[in-house]
């Protein structure tokens, strides 16, 4: 996301610089010895450095409980690249970047840690642009932000800046999200807060905006007159992995729908913003969430939840959710959820948006399918009596990123026979370059100060406002059982029944 910079107006630079580079930055990672840092953040920094996207003056200070020296943290960095970025032995880029890494151990609630952090930042000659990354469990957000505030670390001098990236989950319901927002706002201005949702950093998700608003031919048909319904699927083959501690209290609705899939839905359904500015884009996305009809008000038929039982995935036998490490053997946490949503807007009135997501499904795929209405008349009926398929536009978010359009074509031959065909655009073959990881895009945007791809406080609250009543209804039902699906299956019968009631079917993926 290009951020406005004063030199952007210099005509002499036209055609010379395409990619903006952030001003000198220090990145302070809380949770530096954790999983997210190892799997995502350190590899993303390496890739940014390879692409020469990091600022010329760049420092990283890792903060965590574990005792580690600077050298150990640098080794940790190389190990993470070996495991997650395919850098078997340190190369020029990783060796140079490693030199800018240092580490400060301490307890996150200990004010002394923050004094040491201030001293360390001065010692390593850190610039006054400081980005704090909270890669820690959400229970620690409040303490860290309060302590940063008390240590004077949330206020910059002169033209410096201070920003905070907050990881998910952002609250567990509407009340806790509101409380967290209030607390953050006590110490930080909204423009300093970057609530990360890695789905917004995915190339295909961003491309939705370009696809819709930089082309003349799709937007005119992007409405209730031409679209029958929309299906958004986020299917995973993995189970709960080693995250039962978190997932037991979360479930699929909180883990995937409240954040990632509501974000995706808002980009599919939003009105065109007047300009591509962060506030305009986020205002229009907010309109979408505000327009979604309550999910539980008119009976419970709009939400289906289920939990995986033992089965087979990718040729391997896998245990059921209740048998996974750390999971309560009587758990009713949902690992699958399917929803039907209606938007109260002129564009979308009467068009259902179906969303489904689950773990231990047959394959890993995330896609958005726009199903168009059938042509009003089948004039080829006599020669080709089978019903014609309706047009379909599929955005493949991952893997195999791209966009496909299905339309009817004439089968070659002397008879008038029809068959559906696909027209495909694939990122890999069209551009011949790797799609960047979401965290690279988002880290860079935060350093540039561009919040377009981050969740604003009101969006987060609106989406909690949508799903908290569902959790309340589940809690009130106090059920001891939950529908099941076999691992390796496409979810429970109840989800198919929801579609069948509308005379529709889930796409076969
Ligand atoms: C995370 C969820 O936010 O997103 C995980 O906590 C989920 O449970 C993951 O597996 C999916 O992300 P992606 O990028 O693999 O689709």
């Amino acid at each position: 996301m290009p951020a406005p910079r004063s030199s952007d107006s210099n005509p002499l630079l036209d055609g010379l610089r395409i990619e903006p580079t952030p001003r000198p930055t220090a990145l302070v990672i809380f949770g530096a010895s954790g999983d997210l840092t190892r799997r995502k953040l350190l590899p993303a920094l390496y890739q940014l450095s390879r692409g020469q996207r990091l600022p010329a003056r760049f420092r990283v200070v890792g903060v965590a409980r574990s005792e580690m020296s600077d050298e150990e943290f640098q080794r940790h960095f190389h190990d993470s690249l070996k495991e997650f970025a395919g850098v078997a032995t340190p190369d020029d880029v990783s060796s140079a970047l490693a030199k800018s890494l240092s580490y400060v151990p301490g307890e996150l609630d200990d004010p002394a840690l923050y004094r040491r952090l201030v001293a360390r930042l001065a010692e390593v000659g850190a610039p006054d642009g400081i980005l704090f990354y909270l890669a820690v469990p959400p229970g620690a957000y409040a303490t860290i932000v309060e302590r940063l505030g008390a240590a004077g670390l949330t206020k910059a001098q002169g033209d410096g800046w201070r920003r905070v990236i907050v990881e998910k989950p952002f609250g567990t319901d509407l009340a806790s999200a509101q409380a967290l927002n209030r607390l953050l706002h006590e110490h930080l201005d909204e423009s300093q807060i970057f609530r990360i949702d890695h789905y917004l950093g995915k190339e295909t998700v961003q491309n939705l905006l370009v696809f819709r608003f930089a082309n003349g031919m799709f937007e005119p048909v992007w409405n209730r007159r031409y679209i029958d319904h929309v299906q958004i699927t986020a299917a995973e083959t993995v189970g709960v992995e080693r995250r039962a501690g978190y997932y037991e209290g979360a479930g699929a609705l909180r883990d995937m729908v409240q954040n990632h899939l509501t974000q995706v839905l808002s980009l599919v359904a939003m009105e065109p913003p007047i300009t591509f500015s962060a506030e305009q884009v986020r205002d229009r996305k907010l309109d979408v969430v505000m327009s979604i009809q309550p999910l539980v008000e008119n009976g419970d038929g709009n939400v289906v939840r289920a939990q995986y039982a033992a089965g087979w995935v990718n040729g391997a036998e896998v245990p059921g959710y209740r048998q996974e490490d750390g999971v309560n053997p009587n758990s009713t946490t949902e690992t699958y959820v399917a929803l039907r949503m209606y938007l109260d807007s002129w564009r979308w009135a009467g068009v259902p948006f179906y969303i489904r997501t689950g773990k231990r499904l047959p394959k890993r795929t995330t896609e958005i399918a726009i199903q168009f209405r059938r042509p009003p008349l089948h004039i080829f009926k006599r020669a080709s009596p089978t019903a014609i398929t309706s047009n379909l536009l599929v955005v493949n978010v991952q893997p195999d990123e791209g966009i496909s359009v299905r339309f009817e074509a004439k089968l070659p031959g002397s008879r008038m026979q029809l068959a559906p065909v696909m027209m495909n655009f694939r990122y890999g073959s069209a551009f011949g370059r790797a799609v960047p990881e979401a965290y690279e895009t988002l880290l860079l945007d935060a350093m540039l100060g561009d919040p377009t791809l981050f969740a604003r406080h009101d969006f987060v609250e609106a989406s909690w406002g949508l799903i908290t009543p569902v959790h309340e209804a589940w809690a009130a039902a106090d059920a001891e059982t939950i529908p099941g699906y076999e691992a390796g299956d496409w979810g429970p019968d109840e989800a198919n029944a929801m579609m069948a009631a509308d005379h529709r079917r889930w796409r076969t993926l």
Side-chain angles (χ1 to χ4, degrees):
M1 292 293 112
R5 303 191 325 163
S6 52
S7 55
D8 280 350
S9 54
N10 180 349
L12 294 176
L13 290 176
D14 276 358
L16 287 181
R17 190 199 55 241
I18 311 160
E19 317 268 29
T21 309
R23 288 159 52 199
T25 302
L27 172 65
V28 177
I29 305 177
F30 288 93
S33 58
D35 228 35
L36 181 71
T37 305
R38 202 164 56 92
R39 283 172 183 269
K40 300 288 184 190
L41 304 185
L42 297 177
L45 291 178
Y46 169 76
Q47 297 298 355
L48 286 172
S49 178
R50 261 173 64 110
Q52 302 184 327
R53 306 303 310 278
L54 289 179
R57 249 179 83 210
F58 183 65
R59 297 278 179 271
V60 178
V61 182
V63 180
R65 251 209 218 126
S66 348
E67 279 297 330
M68 243 195 290
S69 65
D70 291 349
E71 293 69 31
E72 281 165 329
F73 185 49
Q74 290 164 5
R75 268 202 299 282
H76 181 76
F77 167 67
H78 287 302
D79 290 346
S80 120
L81 298 190
K82 198 165 168 181
E83 202 176 347
F84 297 105
V87 187
T89 47
D91 59 17
D92 290 352
V93 175
S94 62
S95 305
L97 188 54
K99 291 196 187 114
S100 53
L101 264 59
S102 70
Y103 185 81
V104 181
E107 294 295 329
L108 297 178
D109 58 355
D110 179 6
L113 167 66
Y114 298 80
R115 288 196 290 276
R116 288 204 298 281
L117 182 57
V118 173
R120 177 60 64 91
L121 285 164
E123 221 172 279
V124 299
D128 204 31
I130 306 183
L131 178 60
F132 299 99
Y133 199 122
L134 309 190
V136 292
Y141 298 162
T143 312
I144 296 176
V145 171
E146 273 170 351
R147 298 281 188 272
L148 286 175
L153 280 164
T154 51
K155 302 239 180 319
Q157 306 292 323
D159 65 349
W161 51 265
R162 304 295 162 94
R163 301 181 189 129
V164 178
I165 297 186
V166 187
E167 260 296 334
K168 65 162 280 226
F170 195 91
T172 54
D173 58 10
L174 175 58
S176 56
Q178 285 170 329
L180 184 52
N181 272 331
R182 270 197 304 274
L183 183 123
L184 293 178
H185 287 150
E186 272 173 32
H187 300 277
L188 303 158
D189 188 77
E190 178 64 22
S191 66
Q192 295 177 278
I193 307 169
F194 289 68
R195 297 173 196 78
I196 203 162
D197 184 315
H198 79 281
Y199 264 59
L200 289 176
K202 290 185 191 280
E203 200 71 22
T204 27
V205 173
Q206 293 175 66
N207 191 41
L208 269 172
L209 289 172
V210 176
F211 182 77
R212 290 191 55 200
F213 303 133
N215 292 295
M217 62 187 281
F218 304 112
E219 201 46 29
V221 296
W222 209 259
N223 56 53
R224 63 192 301 275
R225 192 152 169 218
Y226 300 98
I227 292 177
D228 178 74
H229 74 276
V230 176
Q231 290 188 24
I232 301 177
T233 302
E236 298 186 274
T237 52
V238 293
V240 68
E241 299 177 290
R242 288 189 304 269
R243 302 165 68 219
Y246 150 74
Y247 199 84
E248 269 285 87
L253 190 59
R254 285 192 181 91
D255 187 47
M256 291 293 290
V257 179
Q258 180 273 327
N259 37 61
H260 308 323
L261 299 181
T262 310
Q263 289 286 354
V264 172
L265 167 76
S266 71
L267 292 171
V268 174
M270 71 191 274
E271 293 300 321
I274 303 295
T275 60
F276 186 54
S277 73
E279 292 322 308
Q280 278 285 330
V281 170
R282 299 193 300 174
D283 283 349
R284 297 292 77 80
K285 284 170 55 192
L286 177 64
D287 292 343
V288 173
V289 194
M290 305 284 288
S291 75
I292 300 173
Q293 287 183 3
L295 290 166
V296 285
E297 215 154 70
N298 313 314
D300 204 11
N302 292 322
V303 187
V304 169
R305 60 175 165 157
Q307 189 186 72
Y308 64 83
W312 291 77
V313 177
N314 288 339
E317 196 164 9
V318 296
Y321 178 71
R322 290 179 180 186
Q323 287 85 54
E324 301 269 19
D325 274 355
V327 171
N328 173 354
N330 299 317
S331 170
T332 53
T333 297
E334 81 286 358
T335 60
Y336 174 99
V337 67
L339 302 107
R340 181 203 289 118
M341 294 182 178
Y342 283 102
L343 276 51
D344 279 338
S345 67
W346 275 55
R347 184 191 284 261
W348 295 117
V351 178
F353 283 72
Y354 299 101
I355 292 183
R356 62 178 161 164
T357 181
K359 295 200 181 283
R360 289 285 190 226
L361 298 184
K363 69 192 233 198
R364 176 175 185 254
T365 183
T366 301
E367 65 149 54
I368 303 153
I370 314 286
Q371 175 84 57
F372 288 86
R373 292 186 190 283
R374 279 183 212 282
L377 207 60
H378 184 7
I379 63 166
F380 305 103
K381 208 187 234 151
R382 189 138 17 113
S384 199
T386 46
I388 37 185
T389 51
S390 30
N391 295 135
L392 178 76
L393 191 151
V394 180
V395 178
N396 278 84
V397 175
Q398 63 189 20
D400 200 15
E401 292 85 352
I403 296 178
S404 304
V405 177
R406 183 179 72 197
F407 59 95
E408 289 284 318
K410 181 183 169 303
L411 271 177
S414 53
R415 285 180 51 211
M416 178 53 85
Q417 270 192 301
L418 312 186
V421 291
M422 297 298 278
M423 197 158 64
N424 296 319
F425 150 71
R426 287 284 165 270
Y427 267 86
S429 47
F431 296 116
R433 57 161 121 157
V435 171
E437 269 279 322
Y439 278 92
E440 293 169 38
T441 305
L442 296 174
L443 269 170
L444 187 62
D445 279 1
M447 288 188 239
L448 288 165
D450 184 343
T452 313
L453 298 178
F454 292 83
R456 209 169 58 188
H457 65 104
D458 41 8
F459 186 101
V460 174
E461 291 183 13
S463 78
W464 277 120
L466 182 69
I467 73 157
T468 296
V470 178
H471 284 120
E472 285 167 358
W474 287 348
D478 197 21
E480 282 168 15
T481 57
I482 172 168
Y485 60 100
E486 215 171 275
D489 246 355
W490 275 109
D493 295 342
E494 286 79 352
N496 295 329
M498 178 173 95
M499 287 301 241
D502 294 357
H503 308 289
R504 296 192 176 94
R505 282 212 308 249
W506 291 110
R507 269 171 48 72
T508 310
L509 302 178

